[in-house]
Amino acid sequence: MARIGVFVCHCGTNIAGVVDVTRVAKYAGSLPGVKVAVDYKFMCSDPGQNTIIDAIKKYGLDRLVVSACSPRMHEATFRRTAERAGINPYMVEMANIREHVAWVHSDDKELATQKAMKLMEMAVAKVRRSEALSKMFAPIEKRALVIGGGIAGIQAALDIAGAGYKVLLVEKEPSIGGRMAQLDKTFPTLDCSACILTPKMVAAAQDPNITLLTYAEVTEVCGFVGQFEVKIKKKAKSVNSKCIGCGVCTTKCPSKKALSEFDEKLAPRKAIYTPFPQAVPNVPVIDRTACTFFLTGKCKICEKVCPTGAIDYTQQDEFIKEKFGAVVVATGFDIYDHSNYGEYGYGEIKDVITGLQFERLISSTGPTAGHVTRPSDHREVKNVVFIQCVGSRDEAKKRPYCSRVCCMYTAKQAMLLKDHYPETQAYVFYIDIRSAGKNYEEFVQRAQNEYGVLYLRGRVSKIYERANKLLVKGADTLSGAQVEIEADLVVLANGFEPKKGAKEFAQLFHMSSDQYGFYNELHPKLAPVETAISGVFVAGCCQSPKDIPDTVAMASATAAKVCALFAKEKLEVEPLIAGVNQLTCSGCETCYNVCPYSAIEMKDKEVKRGEVRHVAEVLESVCKGCGACVGACYSKAVDLKGFTDRQVLDQVETATAPITDN
Amino acid sequence: MDNKVPQLNIVGFLCNWCSYAGADMTGLGRNTYPSNIKVIRIPCTGRMDPMMIIEAFHNGADGVLVSGCHPGDCHYTEGNYYWRRRYPHLKSLLEHFGIDKRRFHASWVSASEGKKFAEVVKKVTAEVKDWRDNG
Ligand SMILES: Cc1cc2nc3c(=O)[nH]c(=O)nc-3n(C[C@H](O)[C@H](O)[C@H](O)COP(=O)(O)OP(=O)(O)OC[C@H]3O[C@@H](n4cnc5c(N)ncnc54)[C@H](O)[C@@H]3O)c2cc1C
Ligand code: SF4
Ligand code: SF4
Ligand code: FES
């Protein structure tokens, strides 16, 4: 006969403020098999856990129900508690009376209490049928895959490699570096972006533990923590390993069809190109959609001029399949496309540019060699208007979130403009200035006080083109005045967006995203770099908009998580897997066909003395416990540990029965 | 809809990875919904054995909801496809046996869709109530 203990948590007032916890405990005490039922302020605290351990010893309990928060939060905690008191950890069930009761039924305490009693009773019904399970272990492939070679991916790769583990860094562009490589100087110190980034790019390329794979993309993922099997497409570069990076091909290439992605389409680029001079690796690729030879069958100039014979027009996309124990996703962001802002000219006014374009214009390695001129007529500028929150904090554009970085980068850009051209005047239209961060507020103050940047609180209602100028009309809500500024250039602080294709990418890993497409962390506070997929971590702007310091911190955090995983001998895995009753198995192979992991083997086996039959068998180390086979088996011969038919049916029965408390 | 619907019993089967987590998110966001639903956590909708649903109705449940990851997002890649195929068959079978279609529902709720879960439960509860009150 089961000896069950029920422990009801108040969670401070989180639960007890809505649910009558004493009544829940009292009801528990009346249920068959329950030897003790108590309530306590915080069950997960040390004294709370000790209450459980003492009760286990005092009442000789062999199984527990904890009525508290979500099992996704604390099931592991209470399993360990049970283990410490000498009970098998799988003899523990939780009733979720916080997330599923107190927090969602606060409008009726009586109904909430009744439901809490019911959920607890269902957990008691389930735990009665629980069986002791022994721990299982799986091997770990101690090699990490980092996807995305922006500053996040580079930092994560360097840290993991620094701890002595192998890393494959996959980047879809021809070079690593990401957005940071496009920036001129960085707030709040105004140090040059390339100067601090390039050494890291080079370090990543030279680290013996890091393998770089650029111009490559992940196309398929299977497996799980410790054992991910990943298929990667190496796009044909049309340039082989003989390339020494001399760049002659790029200089001589006659094609001017394509626009430079790196320069935000402000300048053309060749068909054979490296995105920027400091590219790592310094190996060009041929963009076949722009290459004269691929388009017309004639040219081959690059082949002629290449001193090492590195050009290979016959190269094909290549697929490789490799194993990794953990994955860091660092795929970064795109900026909001302002072509649906009518007031800013629908993206059709040439001299209304994005913040990222401004970075390229003012960068000495940019298309104008650092001269800020108008894209339309290349004239120098005098008055520049910056507009913040374009595609951020705008409900109408379905972008209600703050992109966090734009207030700062606008202040930076206005200062850089003044540094380069002291005679210019910068105006900034803003909603609020958000400058939380070390030395950030001081930075914005400097822009206003030392650099004389004029901040106008309000929105711009329209930009007109008039006589070679841009007429910017808006409101200054502080003075209440309508303002009209004659500008030469307008720079928009476009907000951050998930990378194009982020959704399809998430599906490869079955990661979840928020309503905008940024990847979800496992817990907003306590697990900010983990995802719901064990062994997959997120770093940088693919999770939410952030600046470089936060991106780097997050990347290092993922590395710490990966290293902690790799430091283990082997991985403890849940023994909640399927098992076949071969006496009732009819050998129909249904389970064999539905199992997503090929964890079922069909065997001819002597099931009873003298009776050899074709039956299914579960490969324990491969089964992930999804239960697809259990749901599909016609003979009811497969069952799932921890979620057995008997357990679920007892929960169903209890759920539908009336409460018998009085 | 009013969250107080007395004497109506709905059993919810939620997959651990998406919908159960989504229901947790509903709580985190303090969105409310009628308390009639009692949730049973299952690893995946692919584990849903029709027997469990039949058993629920047999035991007197007024309604049943099964909710899992969006198609394409199943933690175990394929589980919810199996369920998606099974659901309409089971629904028509149950109708055949006299279980009104307003009583049996399936939905896709992801781990981040806390608000959506509350909406789903409200809608399901309203339909079951409609069946009970209006036949
Ligand atoms: C105009 C502007 C100015 C800024 N100024 C500053 C500043 O002064 N100071 C500051 O701290 N921050 C600044 N930022 C913010 C800074 O750019 C980001 O914090 C930083 O770039 C984030 O790095 P990341 O690695 O997360 O993303 P990214 O830089 O976007 O890198 C992601 C990388 O992943 C690659 N990738 C994407 N998808 C895949 C895939 N499926 N497979 C393989 N590879 C993939 C991309 O090609 C890219 O190389 C600015 C941002 C903008 C827009
Ligand atoms: S073949 Fe011609 S167009 Fe193509 S990359 Fe070489 S030089 Fe350029
Ligand atoms: S539970 Fe069944 S279907 Fe799922 S992985 Fe295990 S054997 Fe395969
Ligand atoms: S895990 Fe959610 S439906 Fe399969």
Side-chain angles (χ1 to χ4, degrees):
Chain A
M1 187 58 190
R3 300 187 64 83
I4 306 167
V6 177
F7 302 87
V8 185
C9 184
H10 300 193
C11 194
T13 54
N14 275 311
I15 295 170
V18 176
V19 170
D20 181 347
V21 282
T22 0
R23 199 165 133 212
V24 177
K26 191 161 158 257
Y27 180 49
S30 74
L31 301 172
V34 174
K35 299 299 166 205
V36 54
V38 291
D39 59 279
Y40 186 74
K41 252 183 282 158
F42 290 105
M43 276 300 168
C44 61
S45 67
D46 261 356
Q49 293 191 48
N50 288 335
T51 311
I52 298 177
I53 293 173
D54 293 344
I56 292 174
K57 297 199 172 129
K58 182 159 168 209
Y59 296 95
L61 304 177
D62 65 354
R63 54 200 79 204
L64 314 175
V65 166
V66 185
S67 289
C69 51
S70 172
R72 297 177 55 85
M73 179 88 195
H74 270 316
E75 189 172 61
T77 311
F78 294 115
R79 281 196 175 149
R80 278 195 301 271
T81 314
E83 210 173 6
R84 269 167 40 212
I87 300 187
N88 184 279
Y90 294 94
M91 303 294 255
V92 176
E93 280 299 323
M94 287 189 74
N96 185 349
I97 61 169
R98 192 179 73 176
E99 283 84 342
H100 290 194
V101 179
W103 282 350
V104 289
H105 305 318
S106 51
D107 45 3
D108 191 320
K109 295 185 179 179
E110 173 57 28
L111 286 178
T113 302
Q114 286 182 24
K115 177 161 168 182
M117 287 155 68
K118 210 20 131 182
L119 294 189
M120 177 277 300
E121 190 182 356
M122 286 159 68
V124 170
K126 185 179 182 193
V127 87
R128 236 183 244 128
R129 303 280 185 183
S130 292
E131 279 167 37
L133 302 174
S134 35
K135 286 186 183 170
M136 286 177 25
F137 296 91
I140 308 173
E141 184 75 35
K142 298 191 177 182
R143 189 157 170 260
L145 171 66
V146 176
I147 307 169
I151 182 59
I154 294 173
Q155 186 65 45
L158 284 172
D159 288 349
I160 299 168
Y165 300 110
K166 298 273 181 220
V167 182
L168 182 71
L169 177 55
V170 174
E171 165 60 53
K172 77 173 179 0
E173 299 298 328
S175 170
I176 57 171
R179 298 276 175 215
M180 190 177 164
Q182 292 179 283
L183 307 181
D184 178 41
K185 303 224 162 42
T186 53
F187 63 75
T189 44
L190 293 185
D191 41 356
C192 132
S193 190
C195 312
I196 53 177
L197 176 66
T198 314
K200 286 210 184 258
M201 290 163 60
V202 172
Q206 291 177 346
D207 193 305
N209 281 335
I210 300 179
T211 309
L212 280 189
L213 214 55
T214 51
Y215 218 45
E217 266 174 87
V218 170
T219 58
E220 241 179 80
V221 180
C222 39
F224 33 86
V225 57
Q227 297 287 321
F228 290 104
E229 245 183 75
V230 182
K231 196 165 162 190
I232 299 164
K233 175 173 157 187
K234 292 164 71 178
K235 289 177 278 189
K237 292 184 174 175
S238 314
V239 176
N240 65 29
S241 57
K242 286 189 235 159
C243 171
I244 49 166
C246 68
V248 178
C249 54
T250 304
T251 333
K252 298 285 192 228
C253 173
S255 162
K256 291 193 181 90
K257 270 191 139 37
L259 290 175
S260 163
E261 296 82 359
F262 185 78
D263 282 331
E264 292 294 316
K265 311 219 148 99
L266 288 170
R269 70 149 163 75
K270 298 296 180 69
I272 186 162
Y273 73 105
T274 53
F276 52 104
Q278 307 91 326
V280 170
N282 188 15
V283 176
V285 301
I286 294 181
D287 169 2
R288 294 185 177 181
T289 64
C291 167
T292 316
F293 171 67
F294 279 100
L295 292 175
T296 67
K298 286 203 199 83
C299 181
K300 290 202 174 185
I301 290 177
C302 52
E303 187 180 46
K304 278 171 220 134
V305 299
C306 176
T308 61
I311 308 290
D312 178 0
Y313 302 108
T314 64
Q315 242 182 30
Q316 302 273 318
D317 291 348
E318 201 187 309
F319 289 88
I320 55 169
K321 210 171 192 171
E322 298 200 18
K323 267 196 173 179
F324 303 93
V327 181
V328 175
V329 174
T331 47
F333 68 102
D334 279 333
I335 55 167
Y336 184 80
D337 172 7
H338 60 269
S339 61
N340 43 12
Y341 268 96
E343 57 270 46
Y344 309 146
Y346 295 107
E348 278 160 15
I349 307 177
K350 270 195 147 179
D351 297 328
V352 175
I353 63 171
T354 69
L356 216 42
Q357 287 179 321
F358 185 85
E359 296 282 341
R360 296 316 303 144
L361 278 185
I362 203 158
S363 163
S364 56
T365 63
T368 54
H371 298 296
V372 180
T373 54
R374 291 156 46 105
S376 65
D377 54 12
H378 306 294
R379 271 196 303 129
E380 295 221 322
V381 300
K382 260 232 128 55
N383 283 344
V384 179
V385 168
F386 292 86
I387 304 174
Q388 292 191 178
C389 297
V390 178
S392 303
R393 303 183 65 195
D394 192 343
E395 281 284 359
K397 297 288 186 291
K398 297 205 168 63
R399 297 291 183 280
Y401 58 85
C402 167
S403 288
R404 270 181 70 187
V405 185
C406 326
C407 283
M408 292 301 295
Y409 82 58
T410 299
K412 170 187 77 174
Q413 293 175 346
M415 285 158 91
L416 291 176
L417 179 75
K418 196 83 182 170
D419 265 340
H420 281 53
Y421 306 99
E423 71 288 358
T424 54
Q425 178 61 52
Y427 303 86
V428 176
F429 282 93
Y430 70 101
I431 308 180
D432 301 292
I433 299 296
R434 297 192 165 168
S435 52
K438 194 168 171 174
N439 293 323
Y440 282 16
E441 178 58 22
E442 295 90 318
F443 185 79
V444 176
Q445 289 299 331
R446 254 175 73 207
Q448 301 183 17
N449 302 334
E450 282 175 38
Y451 287 76
V453 178
L454 269 175
Y455 272 75
L456 299 159
R457 185 166 206 232
R459 280 220 179 254
V460 167
S461 54
K462 192 84 195 152
I463 303 174
Y464 303 93
E465 289 181 274
R466 201 168 69 191
N468 267 334
K469 293 269 182 193
L470 298 173
L471 205 61
V472 182
K473 281 193 167 184
D476 177 359
T477 56
L478 291 183
S479 68
Q482 292 296 315
V483 283
E484 224 181 78
I485 298 167
E486 225 179 46
D488 303 295
L489 186 69
V490 173
V491 183
L492 305 178
N494 302 57
F496 283 42
E497 288 228 303
K499 197 89 191 164
K500 208 187 286 122
K503 189 150 186 68
E504 296 70 36
F505 183 85
Q507 290 204 339
L508 288 175
F509 287 95
H510 304 290
M511 279 191 300
S512 69
S513 318
D514 65 15
Q515 64 265 51
Y516 314 110
F518 291 110
Y519 300 144
N520 280 338
E521 64 283 6
L522 181 61
H523 189 280
K525 280 156 263 180
L526 301 179
V529 303
E530 292 92 329
T531 67
I533 314 304
S534 164
V536 178
F537 305 95
V538 276
C541 292
C542 60
Q543 181 262 345
S544 73
K546 53 179 69 66
D547 55 21
I548 297 164
D550 283 1
T551 297
V552 170
M554 193 176 185
S556 290
T558 59
K561 294 284 170 188
V562 169
C563 294
L565 181 67
F566 288 178
K568 289 188 187 132
E569 231 4 77
K570 40 195 177 163
L571 206 62
E572 193 180 326
V573 289
E574 296 255 54
L576 305 176
I577 55 165
V580 178
N581 178 351
Q582 293 174 332
L583 288 173
T584 52
C585 170
S586 68
C588 69
E589 300 195 351
T590 306
C591 58
Y592 174 81
N593 289 319
V594 298
C595 177
Y597 301 95
S598 308
I600 301 223
E601 224 177 19
M602 297 305 300
K603 274 187 174 167
D604 290 323
K605 208 172 156 184
E606 183 166 339
V607 289
K608 270 194 278 191
R609 191 173 338 168
E611 191 182 331
V612 177
R613 279 199 290 119
H614 189 59
V615 289
E617 194 162 289
V618 175
L619 298 166
E620 296 199 336
S621 60
V622 186
C623 172
K624 300 308 290 170
C626 70
C629 55
V630 190
C633 176
Y634 297 108
S635 315
K636 301 246 144 299
V638 204
D639 212 345
L640 187 65
K641 288 172 191 155
F643 298 93
T644 63
D645 282 344
R646 206 49 271 162
Q647 285 180 309
V648 179
L649 290 175
D650 282 1
Q651 281 173 288
V652 168
E653 198 178 306
T654 313
T656 45
I659 294 175
T660 49
D661 103 306
N662 28 46
Chain B
M1 175 193 168
D2 188 5
N3 281 341
K4 295 167 202 174
V5 190
Q7 312 289 326
L8 202 67
N9 218 335
I10 298 171
V11 179
F13 296 93
L14 310 191
C15 90
N16 179 47
W17 302 98
C18 290
S19 292
Y20 194 94
D24 281 359
M25 197 57 94
T26 317
L28 231 51
R30 306 298 195 277
N31 301 111
T32 64
Y33 54 81
S35 64
N36 309 70
I37 189 167
K38 318 277 177 329
V39 166
I40 295 175
R41 184 164 67 122
I42 49 167
C44 171
T45 54
R47 196 256 175 269
M48 283 313 295
D49 186 329
M51 182 184 68
M52 306 193 304
I53 294 149
I54 294 167
E55 205 50 33
F57 285 119
H58 178 74
N59 278 319
D62 300 297
V64 170
L65 166 70
V66 179
S67 188
C69 314
H70 287 270
D73 288 351
C74 172
H75 184 73
Y76 306 101
T77 30
E78 292 163 22
N80 56 2
Y81 293 139
Y82 294 130
W83 166 245
R84 187 170 63 175
R85 231 171 290 153
R86 223 168 276 154
Y87 170 65
H89 294 302
L90 189 57
K91 187 149 179 146
S92 55
L93 186 79
L94 284 172
E95 258 189 284
H96 191 73
F97 284 106
I99 304 288
D100 192 284
K101 64 172 185 288
R102 282 167 292 179
R103 301 175 64 188
F104 180 33
H105 299 267
S107 65
W108 315 118
V109 173
S110 80
S112 56
E113 293 174 326
K115 270 199 195 128
K116 179 174 173 191
F117 182 72
E119 292 313 313
V120 166
V121 176
K122 281 181 192 167
K123 187 177 144 274
V124 169
T125 313
E127 288 212 19
V128 179
K129 183 173 181 295
D130 182 59
W131 159 76
R132 188 194 59 185
D133 295 350
N134 307 320

